[in-house]
Amino acid sequence: MAEAGAGSLHGGDAALPCPPEEQELSQRLRRLYPAVNQEETPLPRSWSPKDKYNYIGLSQGNLRVHYKGHGKNHKDAASVRATHPIPAACGIYYFEVKIVSKGRDGYMGIGLSAQGVNMNRLPGWDKHSYGYHGDDGHSFCSSGTGQPYGPTFTTGDVIGCCVNLINNTCFYTKNGHSLGIAFTDLPSNLYPTVGLQTPGEIVDANFGQQPFVFDIEDYMREWRAKIQSTIKRFPIGDRLGEWQAMLQNMVSSYLVHHGYCSTATAFARVTDTTIQEEQTSIKNRQRIQKLVLAGRVGEAIEATQQLYPGLLEHNPNLLFMLKCRQFVEMVNGTDSEVRCFSARSPRSQDSYPGSPSLSPRHGSSNSHVHSTGADSPTCSNGVMSTKSKQSHSKYPTLSSSSSSSSSSSPSSVNYSESNSTDSTKSQQHSSTSNQETSDSEMEMEAEHYPNGVLENSSTRIMNGTYKHEEILQTDESSMDSCPQRQLCGGNHAATERMIQFGRELQMLSEQLCREYGKNTVHKKMLQDAFSLLAYSDPWNCPVGQQLDPIQREPVCAALNSAILESQNLPKQPPLMLALGQASECLRLMARVGLGSCSFARVDDYLH
């Protein structure tokens, strides 16, 4: 078609799509454009009622466009843009338009335009506007004069528009067949656009609401293979040995960081790399991580205090996080502080990793011995005994055995050299039996109690290291003994202990507030934990996700990093830093319009 004149914009009302359709759309868009962060850069989902000429009418969830002007000449042309521009992180973006009715003359244009381009024109007539027109089959590239491109289109045809943000080109499809490249050197931040000019013209858009007629996913696979091939062909040359050594050290440090002791040792032996941390220290961290991941946070706190004295005292934020998690595990019935009140107390979620469905689990009768303060009773297999224990913390004592209360600081403070030295010395005197532990026992997996009974807490740590039998193994016979999940395992004394612990946790929060000022993170953490008590079934409530075992992971990671930092070791393994940097690089590429980032996702190389 020929070109056009000037005009104004007019807004309208948006109709919301029904939830099932919206759900299907979201799933399809996530599959097509996995690299797009839709919170930062939303994808087009419909036409914009606020970014259109007033001769355009919208209906059917703002997906149907009809012409309602006079249609006398090109000055009556009208267009509408989509709600959002095409994000560069798409890499390749595609949408389709079905011609419901060509109307009187079929003067329709389908294409792209930048924000601010005049909507009283068909797409392609103005600068930063691109269109394929149905009446003559011409393509219009920022000009009122078109170029022969493809066939005409009319009622019943489906026209697709594909934007390749990797090479900045665009091609169209007709009824599932590619028509070849229409435009090159496209700018970024273009909006899907459609324009009509004569009465009776009606078109429907498909931004992913329905399967596309054209196989766009096959085209995406081709480009993904091209990008990945480019990455694989990246020249290394004479530095191959240097790169291999660097990667091997990164893998080794990752294994050590997460406590995979035997695997790290085997890897170091094969690759001739050096492990920077003593095996004893690795095993100690491994045991503590296993306790946290099993929901036994109180014991993890106690072990940390004994193996790394002063660590939690210098990290109030970390201590508070651990104590809040311990309270949650008390509700869950998994922390030993409440398990010890019943010889067969049900355990809601003490397996790891656990099912998101939070199915009922029941713990073994081998409850861990726990002291509850100086001269306080402790429980072993449901039998009460007494044991004296001193608390030297400057914060209010949360009288769990595991919490002869230590503290945490608003910011993670490096462990002092003297404490680090003492800790290292104590670890070097590890018992011989621990060093001879088999590889299978050293890995991060559950281990058995000897004779089904755990030893007294005073003998659990010997010369600065844990005995390998220490971690609780599920008593399979108890798994179906009690099908009902109950608060604190359904034990009244345990519930009272949990409430008392909650009061002490509140006191700790107030103490930290006085010393360091208000902390909104602490406040929310405490509110979320206490909110569990407002529901008869905490596992199925708005804040019940806290009880999911997966929520133990960030707590475990924070404690592990703090221990490493206290020993002047990296708090994060270099491999994770490299992955983080690569991910951030891809995000920056997306922000500056480099579409190849969409097919160079880090996740593709982690499987």
Side-chain angles (χ1 to χ4, degrees):
M1 268 211 55
E3 60 173 309
S8 61
L9 299 179
H10 181 72
D13 294 321
L16 295 175
C18 65
E21 293 174 359
E22 187 68 23
Q23 185 177 9
E24 182 181 354
L25 170 63
S26 296
Q27 291 173 349
R28 185 171 286 111
L29 293 181
R30 280 195 297 270
R31 187 179 74 249
L32 290 172
Y33 315 113
V36 174
N37 181 343
Q38 295 193 56
E39 292 184 0
E40 292 183 3
T41 53
L43 286 159
R45 291 173 175 246
S46 63
W47 301 115
S48 172
K50 297 180 180 179
D51 196 6
K52 70 182 184 65
Y53 193 64
N54 54 12
Y55 287 173
I56 289 290
L58 299 178
S59 59
Q60 297 189 13
N62 291 337
L63 293 173
R64 171 161 290 187
V65 183
H66 65 273
Y67 182 78
K68 58 180 185 179
H70 304 294
K72 294 179 180 179
N73 54 47
H74 66 265
K75 293 183 180 180
D76 292 328
S79 293
V80 59
R81 269 186 286 268
T83 51
H84 300 286
I86 300 167
C90 290
I92 290 171
Y93 180 79
Y94 185 73
F95 71 99
E96 288 182 341
V97 175
K98 180 176 182 179
I99 314 304
V100 178
S101 172
K102 77 178 188 68
R104 190 183 72 197
D105 299 323
Y107 290 167
M108 300 169 290
I110 297 167
L112 309 159
S113 66
Q115 180 68 45
V117 171
N118 190 354
M119 290 285 92
N120 186 205
R121 315 271 280 169
L122 289 185
W125 283 349
D126 295 325
K127 187 177 181 180
H128 299 315
S129 180
Y130 310 86
Y132 168 35
H133 293 192
D135 62 307
D136 55 15
H138 287 186
S139 64
F140 290 75
C141 179
S142 303
S143 169
T145 303
Q147 301 295 323
Y149 170 66
T152 61
F153 51 85
T154 186
T155 302
D157 287 331
V158 176
I159 304 302
C161 178
C162 179
V163 182
N164 187 323
L165 295 119
I166 301 170
N167 61 10
N168 300 317
T169 62
C170 169
F171 71 86
Y172 289 88
T173 66
K174 180 180 178 182
N175 300 327
H177 300 284
S178 174
L179 302 178
I181 299 295
F183 309 113
T184 59
D185 301 319
L186 292 176
S188 58
N189 293 317
L190 294 176
Y191 291 71
T193 307
V194 68
L196 310 175
Q197 189 176 309
T198 63
E201 294 171 353
I202 305 172
V203 298
D204 284 347
N206 177 11
F207 294 104
Q209 284 82 1
Q210 304 294 331
F212 294 119
V213 176
F214 177 72
D215 189 356
I216 188 62
E217 293 187 64
D218 185 60
Y219 180 73
M220 288 178 168
R221 280 190 291 271
E222 291 179 15
W223 272 93
R224 183 176 292 108
K226 288 180 183 179
I227 297 299
Q228 293 180 350
S229 176
T230 301
I231 294 172
K232 290 176 182 177
R233 293 199 310 269
F234 182 82
I236 296 176
D238 297 336
R239 299 184 62 192
L240 177 61
E242 180 184 337
W243 282 51
Q244 284 180 333
M246 183 187 302
L247 291 172
Q248 287 168 355
N249 283 325
M250 291 172 73
V251 171
S252 176
S253 64
Y254 178 85
L255 294 172
V256 169
H257 177 91
H258 290 288
Y260 301 121
C261 189
S262 62
T263 306
T265 302
F267 184 81
R269 187 166 54 246
V270 171
T271 60
D272 197 26
T273 54
T274 303
I275 296 178
Q276 300 297 323
E277 187 180 3
E278 293 288 337
Q279 274 205 9
T280 301
S281 176
I282 299 173
K283 293 173 188 176
N284 287 338
R285 288 191 297 104
Q286 180 192 83
R287 266 50 177 191
I288 291 172
Q289 289 180 78
K290 288 160 73 176
L291 285 168
V292 175
L293 295 177
R296 293 161 54 185
V297 183
E299 294 170 71
I301 294 172
E302 179 186 11
T304 303
Q305 290 170 330
Q306 294 191 40
L307 291 168
Y308 307 98
L311 171 63
L312 296 179
E313 188 72 29
H314 291 88
N315 288 272
N317 282 344
L318 178 59
L319 175 68
F320 192 78
M321 177 195 296
L322 288 166
K323 292 298 184 182
C324 285
R325 187 67 214 176
Q326 184 179 3
F327 181 86
V328 171
E329 297 298 349
M330 285 184 172
V331 174
N332 219 2
T334 54
D335 191 80
S336 297
E337 190 67 20
V338 295
R339 288 171 63 93
C340 71
F341 283 96
S342 173
R344 298 185 64 83
S345 62
R347 63 190 184 105
S348 305
Q349 286 291 319
D350 63 357
S351 64
Y352 182 85
S355 168
S357 64
L358 296 174
S359 58
R361 300 285 185 113
H362 311 291
S364 74
S365 57
N366 323 327
S367 297
H368 184 72
V369 178
H370 255 299
S371 64
T372 54
D375 300 318
S376 62
T378 46
C379 310
S380 178
N381 300 316
V383 180
M384 302 298 291
S385 62
T386 59
K387 175 175 176 278
S388 177
K389 181 167 183 172
Q390 297 292 330
S391 174
H392 301 286
S393 172
K394 65 176 179 176
Y395 296 114
T397 299
L398 277 72
S399 55
S400 74
S401 69
S402 54
S403 58
S404 49
S405 186
S406 44
S407 241
S408 33
S409 95
S411 60
S412 211
V413 178
N414 277 340
Y415 192 38
S416 67
E417 281 188 26
S418 60
N419 279 342
S420 179
T421 303
D422 292 344
S423 176
T424 304
K425 285 180 181 178
S426 69
Q427 291 158 4
Q428 290 172 347
H429 295 289
S430 163
S431 64
T432 304
S433 62
N434 185 62
Q435 295 175 359
E436 294 175 351
T437 301
S438 68
D439 285 354
S440 62
E441 288 173 322
M442 287 194 292
E443 294 305 322
M444 293 285 287
E445 58 192 13
E447 298 164 348
H448 292 273
Y449 282 115
N451 303 320
V453 179
L454 184 64
E455 295 169 320
N456 174 290
S457 62
S458 63
T459 62
R460 285 185 305 112
I461 299 176
M462 296 188 63
N463 299 320
T465 186
Y466 269 96
K467 290 188 174 182
H468 71 268
E469 304 92 359
E470 143 224 29
I471 303 301
L472 180 64
Q473 174 74 2
T474 302
D475 181 358
E476 299 295 341
S477 64
S478 67
M479 291 293 288
D480 48 16
S481 61
C482 178
Q484 182 64 41
R485 288 176 300 189
Q486 293 177 296
L487 193 69
C488 298
N491 185 283
H492 181 69
T495 304
E496 289 185 343
R497 176 68 197 100
M498 175 201 65
I499 293 172
Q500 177 60 30
F501 186 91
R503 293 194 186 102
E504 295 163 356
L505 184 56
Q506 177 67 40
M507 290 173 58
L508 176 60
S509 173
E510 294 169 357
Q511 173 89 15
L512 293 175
C513 187
R514 285 192 297 271
E515 292 189 15
Y516 301 105
K518 292 182 179 179
N519 188 315
T520 55
V521 175
H522 285 187
K523 182 178 179 181
K524 186 178 188 310
M525 213 182 293
L526 198 63
Q527 286 178 342
D528 287 347
F530 287 173
S531 294
L532 291 168
L533 303 185
Y535 301 91
S536 58
D537 184 1
W539 293 269
N540 294 297
C541 74
V543 291
Q545 74 278 359
Q546 295 177 86
L547 297 169
D548 192 323
I550 201 170
Q551 300 300 327
R552 299 165 185 164
E553 288 189 7
V555 179
C556 180
L559 179 55
N560 188 45
S561 293
I563 292 172
L564 287 165
E565 194 173 23
S566 74
Q567 298 178 294
N568 296 317
L569 294 169
K571 60 188 291 188
Q572 291 294 335
L575 180 60
M576 296 308 296
L577 293 176
L579 289 174
Q581 290 170 347
S583 298
E584 183 60 27
C585 179
L586 293 175
R587 281 192 288 271
L588 291 173
M589 289 174 66
R591 287 178 190 148
V592 298
L594 299 176
S596 57
C597 66
S598 61
F599 297 139
R601 299 177 63 234
V602 172
D603 288 351
D604 293 339
Y605 298 88
L606 298 181
H607 302 293

